Amino acid sequence: MVNQLDPVVSRFVAAVNTGDSAGFSDLLTPDVTMSDDGSDRDVRDWVDSEIFGSNARMDVESVSDGGRALVANYTNDRWGAMRTAWRFTVAGDKIARFETGQA
């Protein structure tokens, strides 16, 4: 399933799953934005809290929109496991926006 992802989105998932915060940061545009359950959030604070500060993992279940949308079983130490939907806006080889929420 992961091989159907857009290459930039695939690197995003890999960085989350390996705890590679530096590699993750390199994937984002300087003005990246994001939303969680429909509310825009501060990207750096959210990523520190929900991904790298809580041992997050993504198990991709399905891929759509040319590999720029996915549904994943998302697990972290803060919230446990949940089924989540993700959408990505890719600009060149970077992510300009990502949106996530419960699926």
Side-chain angles (χ1 to χ4, degrees), residues 38-102:
S39 297
D40 277 6
R41 307 291 174 101
D42 178 275
V43 175
R44 304 300 188 246
D45 289 346
W46 189 90
V47 166
D48 287 346
S49 172
E50 302 297 331
I51 297 179
F52 298 108
S54 59
N55 194 33
R57 297 288 178 267
M58 298 174 76
D59 180 21
V60 177
E61 182 180 297
S62 64
V63 177
S64 60
D65 192 26
R68 294 184 177 185
L70 60 91
V71 172
N73 292 311
Y74 185 82
T75 306
N76 69 20
D77 294 343
R78 183 171 184 194
W79 302 106
M82 64 191 90
R83 191 166 181 258
T84 56
W86 298 74
R87 292 189 97 29
F88 297 87
T89 302
V90 176
D93 63 350
K94 304 277 186 185
I95 293 172
R97 179 170 177 82
F98 64 97
E99 300 169 358
T100 187
Q102 294 202 37

Side-chain angles (χ1 to χ4, degrees), residues 3-60:
N3 62 352
Q4 298 173 359
L5 291 172
D6 177 279
V8 178
V9 174
S10 181
R11 290 196 307 271
F12 178 101
V13 172
V16 169
N17 287 342
T18 61
D20 181 5
S21 62
F24 182 94
S25 293
D26 287 346
L27 288 171
L28 308 178
T29 63
D31 59 346
V32 65
T33 61
M34 65 88 52
S35 71
D36 184 1
D37 284 328
S39 297
D40 277 6
R41 307 291 174 101
D42 178 275
V43 175
R44 304 300 188 246
D45 289 346
W46 189 90
V47 166
D48 287 346
S49 172
E50 302 297 331
I51 297 179
F52 298 108
S54 59
N55 194 33
R57 297 288 178 267
M58 298 174 76
D59 180 21
V60 177

